[in-house]
C-alpha cells in the first residue's frame, strides 16, 4: 500500500511539474495571437512611461505576448501606422478615438496610461522676452511633436480660448527629444507645446517661460473644464472583437506597470528605463518623473466624463467635431482594466 501511495504522489508531482513547465505555452494558446505591434509617438516621453515599464519589466512576456513597439515622431503618425495596417495597437492620446469615430473608423481605448495630458505650452525667453498673453503668439512659430498630434490639439485649444485660430500661427513638427530642445534654443521656434523630459530640460536651463502646464491634475481640469484622459492603448474595434484575450493581456501588463510606477521612487525608475530616455541628465529626468507621477493613471481606468471633456476640446478647434453625432461611450471601455485590477490588485 505504501509503495502504491508513493507512486501516486510521484505521479501527481510529475503532473504538477509538467503543468508548471507548460503554463506559458497554455497561456499563449489562450491568446488569439502572440505577436503584436504597438505604434507610439515619442516612446521616451514620460507620457508613455507605463508602456516602457511594461516592456522593460517583461510584463508583456509574462502575459504570453511577443510585443514589438515601433516609435514614431508623434501620435498622429503612430495612428497612421494602425490605419495603414503596419501596427495593431496605438499607444497614444485618448482624443484620437473620437476623431476616428467621427471619420467612420471606430477605435476604442481599452487601458489608460495617463489621467492628465502632461503637455506644457511655453514660450522662448530668447525670442519672446516680452510675452504677456497667449494673444502674443499670433504670427509666431510654435513647435509641436508632430502636426495633428495631441501637442498640436492642446496648442489649438489654448489658442482658441484666447481668440486665435490655428491658422494664425505656424506649427512646426520638432519631435519629442533633443531635436525639440535644439529647435527652441536655435530660435527656429518661438514657443513649444511638448512633454517631459523635453520641457524640464528647457525649464531648468531658463530657456522657456511656462504658459499652461497640464502635468498638474488641477490645472489640466481647469484648462479643459473636466477630466481629460491622456495616453492610453487603443485599437480598431474589429481588432478588439477578434482578439479580446490579447486586449486583456495587454491591459494586464499596463495596469501592472501603472501600479509599479505609483510605488516606485526616482531610483527605481532610473534602474529600469533605457539610458537614452535620460537625454544625458539623470537629475533632470528625476525632476520630470516627480512632476509627471501624479498625472499617470494608478489603475488604467478611464473617467466616465472623459469623452465629454475631450470632445469639448476637439470641437473648440474643429468645426466638424461641433456637428458630429458621436457615441461618447463607444470610444472606450473599462471592462479589461477592471479585470486586470481584480487579477493584480497590488501590481
Amino acid at each position: 500500500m505504501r509503495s502504491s501511495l508513493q507512486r501516486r504522489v510521484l505521479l501527481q508531482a510529475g503532473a504538477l511539474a509538467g503543468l508548471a513547465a507548460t503554463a506559458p505555452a497554455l497561456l499563449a494558446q489562450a491568446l488569439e495571437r502572440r505577436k503584436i505591434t504597438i505604434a507610439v509617438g515619442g516612446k521616451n516621453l514620460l507620457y508613455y512611461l507605463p508602456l516602457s515599464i511594461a516592456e522593460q519589466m517583461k510584463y508583456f512576456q509574462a502575459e504570453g505576448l511577443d510585443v514589438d513597439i515601433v516609435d514614431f515622431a508623434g501620435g498622429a503618425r503612430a495612428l497612421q501606422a494602425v490605419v495603414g495596417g503596419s501596427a495593431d495597437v496605438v499607444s497614444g492620446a485618448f482624443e484620437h478615438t473620437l476623431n476616428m469615430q467621427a471619420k467612420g473608423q471606430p477605435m476604442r481605448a481599452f487601458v489608460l496610461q495617463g489621467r492628465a495630458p502632461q503637455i506644457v505650452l511655453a514660450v522662448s525667453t530668447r525670442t519672446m522676452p516680452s510675452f504677456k498673453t497667449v494673444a502674443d503668439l499670433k504670427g509666431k512659430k510654435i513647435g509641436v511633436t508632430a502636426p495633428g498630434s495631441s501637442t498640436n490639439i492642446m496648442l489649438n485649444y489654448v489658442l482658441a480660448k484666447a481668440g486665435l485660430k490655428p491658422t494664425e500661427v505656424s506649427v512646426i513638427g520638432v519631435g519629442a527629444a533633443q531635436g525639440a530642445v535644439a529647435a527652441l534654443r536655435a530660435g527656429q521656434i518661438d514657443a513649444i507645446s511638448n512633454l517631459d523630459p523635453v520641457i524640464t530640460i528647457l525649464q531648468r536651463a531658463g530657456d522657456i517661460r511656462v504658459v499652461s502646464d497640464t502635468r498638474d491634475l488641477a490645472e489640466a481640469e481647469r484648462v479643459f473644464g473636466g477630466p481629460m484622459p491622456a495616453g492610453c492603448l487603443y485599437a480598431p474595434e474589429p481588432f478588439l472583437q477578434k482578439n479580446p484575450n490579447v486586449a486583456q493581456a495587454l491591459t494586464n501588463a499596463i495596469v501592472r506597470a501603472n501600479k509599479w510606477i505609483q510605488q516606485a521612487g526616482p531610483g527605481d525608475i532610473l534602474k529600469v528605463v533605457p539610458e537614452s530616455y535620460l537625454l544625458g541628465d539623470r537629475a533632470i529626468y528625476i525632476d520630470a518623473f516627480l512632476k509627471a507621477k501624479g498625472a499617470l493613471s494608478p489603475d488604467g481606468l478611464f473617467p466616465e466624463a472623459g469623452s465629454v471633456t475631450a470632445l469639448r476640446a476637439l470641437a473648440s478647434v474643429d468645426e466638424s467635431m461641433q456637428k458630429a453625432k458621436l457615441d461618447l461611450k463607444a470610444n472606450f471601455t473599462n471592462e479589461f482594466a477592471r479585470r486586470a485590477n481584480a487579477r493584480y490588485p497590488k501590481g
Side-chain angles (χ1 to χ4, degrees), residues 298-343:
D299 53 20
L301 294 165
F302 297 91
E304 292 297 327
S307 292
V308 175
T309 307
L311 179 59
R312 183 167 57 243
L314 290 172
S316 71
V317 298
D318 185 344
E319 291 185 4
S320 67
M321 293 301 288
Q322 296 174 12
K323 302 173 184 177
K325 295 182 180 180
L326 304 179
D327 182 346
L328 298 183
K329 292 188 179 296
N331 66 307
F332 75 96
T333 177
N334 278 322
E335 174 186 353
F336 299 107
R338 288 195 188 100
R339 288 181 189 150
N341 277 277
R343 181 173 179 181

Side-chain angles (χ1 to χ4, degrees), residues 73-118:
R77 293 181 183 176
L79 172 56
Q80 288 169 7
V82 169
V83 172
S86 62
D88 305 299
V89 174
V90 183
S91 179
F94 176 79
E95 61 266 22
H96 288 304
T97 61
L98 293 171
N99 270 325
M100 297 307 291
Q101 187 184 139
K103 293 177 181 178
Q105 301 179 58
M107 301 268 183
R108 190 183 293 263
F110 56 95
V111 60
L112 186 65
Q113 296 179 70
R115 52 183 177 171
Q118 301 177 48

Side-chain angles (χ1 to χ4, degrees), residues 154-165:
M154 159 82 171
L155 166 65
N156 290 352
Y157 187 60
V158 175
L159 292 175
K161 292 182 74 173
L164 293 178
K165 296 178 181 179

Side-chain angles (χ1 to χ4, degrees), residues 40-324:
V40 60
K43 186 182 175 187
N44 66 299
L45 297 172
L46 282 142
Y47 188 90
Y48 298 118
L49 183 60
L51 178 72
S52 291
I53 294 300
E55 179 187 36
Q56 296 297 318
M57 297 289 285
K58 302 188 184 304
Y59 291 157
F60 292 124
Q61 286 181 239
E63 296 295 330
L65 294 170
D66 178 8
V67 172
D68 181 25
I69 301 174
V70 183
D71 200 10
F72 294 86
R77 293 181 183 176
L79 172 56
Q80 288 169 7
V82 169
V83 172
S86 62
D88 305 299
V89 174
V90 183
S91 179
F94 176 79
E95 61 266 22
H96 288 304
T97 61
L98 293 171
N99 270 325
M100 297 307 291
Q101 187 184 139
K103 293 177 181 178
Q105 301 179 58
M107 301 268 183
R108 190 183 293 263
F110 56 95
V111 60
L112 186 65
Q113 296 179 70
R115 52 183 177 171
Q118 301 177 48
I119 300 168
V120 176
L121 175 62
V123 297
S124 168
T125 53
R126 174 186 168 190
T127 66
M128 298 192 70
S130 302
F131 174 86
K132 292 181 181 178
T133 69
V134 174
D136 294 336
L137 291 175
K138 184 175 181 179
K140 300 298 183 180
K141 294 173 290 185
I142 306 177
V144 299
T145 55
S149 294
S150 57
T151 51
N152 196 167
I153 293 170
M154 159 82 171
L155 166 65
N156 290 352
Y157 187 60
V158 175
L159 292 175
K161 292 182 74 173
L164 293 178
K165 296 178 181 179
T167 54
E168 293 184 282
V169 301
S170 296
V171 172
I172 301 172
V174 295
Q178 288 289 7
V181 174
L184 186 122
R185 287 178 173 170
Q188 296 171 5
I189 53 176
D190 303 297
I192 189 167
S193 178
N194 217 294
L195 306 105
D196 271 327
V198 168
I199 292 297
T200 296
I201 289 172
L202 293 170
Q203 196 171 12
R204 281 188 53 161
D207 294 315
I208 56 172
R209 174 182 167 189
V210 171
V211 177
S212 184
D213 187 346
T214 65
R215 292 173 297 187
D216 179 80
L217 272 176
E219 184 166 352
E221 293 211 8
R222 181 186 62 78
V223 170
F224 292 102
M228 184 68 171
C232 61
L233 293 190
Y234 67 88
E237 189 66 53
F239 175 86
L240 295 179
Q241 291 174 357
K242 294 176 184 176
N243 303 282
N245 294 336
V246 169
Q248 187 63 64
L250 289 168
T251 301
N252 291 346
I254 294 296
V255 166
R256 289 184 71 188
N258 286 344
K259 295 190 175 190
W260 185 91
I261 290 167
Q262 293 305 315
Q263 298 169 2
D268 299 316
I269 295 293
L270 290 177
K271 290 176 184 175
V272 175
V273 300
E275 187 73 24
S276 61
Y277 285 22
L278 310 181
L279 299 184
D281 195 319
R282 292 187 168 212
I284 285 179
Y285 193 86
I286 288 173
D287 278 358
F289 166 69
L290 293 174
K291 289 175 182 175
K293 190 173 182 179
L296 294 170
S297 172
D299 53 20
L301 294 165
F302 297 91
E304 292 297 327
S307 292
V308 175
T309 307
L311 179 59
R312 183 167 57 243
L314 290 172
S316 71
V317 298
D318 185 344
E319 291 185 4
S320 67
M321 293 301 288
Q322 296 174 12
K323 302 173 184 177

